[in-house]
Amino acid sequence: MSKQILCLPGDGIGPEIMAEALKVLDAAKQRFGLDIEVSHGLVGGAAIDHDGVPLSDETLALARNSDAILFGAVGGPKWDDQPMANRPEKGLLKLRSELDLFANLRPAILFPQLAEASSLKPELVAGLDILIVRELTGGIYFGEPRGVRTLENGEREGYNTYVYRESEVRRIAKVAFEAAQKRGGRLCSVDKSNVLEVTGLWREVVIEESAGYNDVELSHMYVDNAAMQLVRAPKQFDVMVTGNMFGDILSDCAAMLTGSIGMLPSASLNEKNQGMYEPVHGSAPDIAGENKANPLAQILSLAMLLRYSLGEGTTADAIEKAVSDVLDKGYRTGDIASEGCQLMGTVEMGDAVVDCLLNA
């Protein structure tokens, strides 16, 4: 029985980098004989232009019936005047919420060929391999009540609610502990329990869950210190687990340790291992249509999709090796370029990965 992938390119550079990932998928299907069908839909600004909303009911139905979703990026200045409830990003948030994609896995891995591209000294980041496990469907991004109100004195006040249920913490902790078991056996839980009651509960529940994972060393760190430590000594971390807002910030911080946010994939999974896979970077509207975008994070997101949701680990390994081989050849897009390397565009980089995949 064939597997079903829903492709949602989105906005900005999304369609460009998605085209390269689909070329790689076609090459992988050819090499490994995969039975995978791809459907297509609109999300974000593209969906607003076509359907009037950032995620239509029809596209959501396609998502529900897919084994996995390959997602590009959403947003751009064109839709800045949309009301908050109809912004392009709401399409992404609705997908996460409706499919209960609660576990966001964001690896920050430094390819050795790119050590010089990091903003930190090579000796600080050489061999970097961190996995940030971010709770994705709760916390302040989804908490109610929220809004903007006018006080009795006429002053406006914005408010959001930071809330986590015990069950939400337990299930993301379980994902993080199991990930740590498969890696270096160390888990750092990040909170702000000295100030925020909700993260005090977070810490208590994570400690309770640790009783079932005696082979994992659990530590705790306040989020402000964690941000500092990621820059000071990032290799001290193996797996980090944290809530939605803190994870959003820390994962982007970790991304830049690797030299470019254009290199990092991510996975968002539900309890059935149905997942949405997307690059960590945004839609980069300033370079859209110019053949400058780095497609490697989108291609590596495809590899994660094959591994986690379709069970095609061998194919995923081959795609990741093809990306590494391309870097070995000295091929670079502008965001990771350095002296002596061959500068390539989006299409040419995708072609290079396909060539390495088919001729391995």
Side-chain angles (χ1 to χ4, degrees), residues 87-104:
R87 293 290 295 268
E89 295 79 8
K90 292 296 183 180
L92 173 59
L93 293 177
K94 187 174 181 179
L95 278 168
R96 291 173 178 172
S97 178
E98 292 289 332
L99 300 180
D100 199 21
L101 302 173
F102 72 93
N104 184 224

Side-chain angles (χ1 to χ4, degrees), residues 15 100 118 178:
D100 199 21
S118 173
E178 290 178 355

Side-chain angles (χ1 to χ4, degrees), residues 267-293:
S268 302
L269 306 175
N270 62 22
E271 291 178 333
K272 298 181 294 183
N273 264 3
Q274 183 190 33
M276 182 163 64
Y277 299 82
E278 60 182 303
V280 172
H281 62 70
S283 62
D286 55 317
I287 59 170
E290 298 183 9
N291 196 37
K292 292 181 178 179

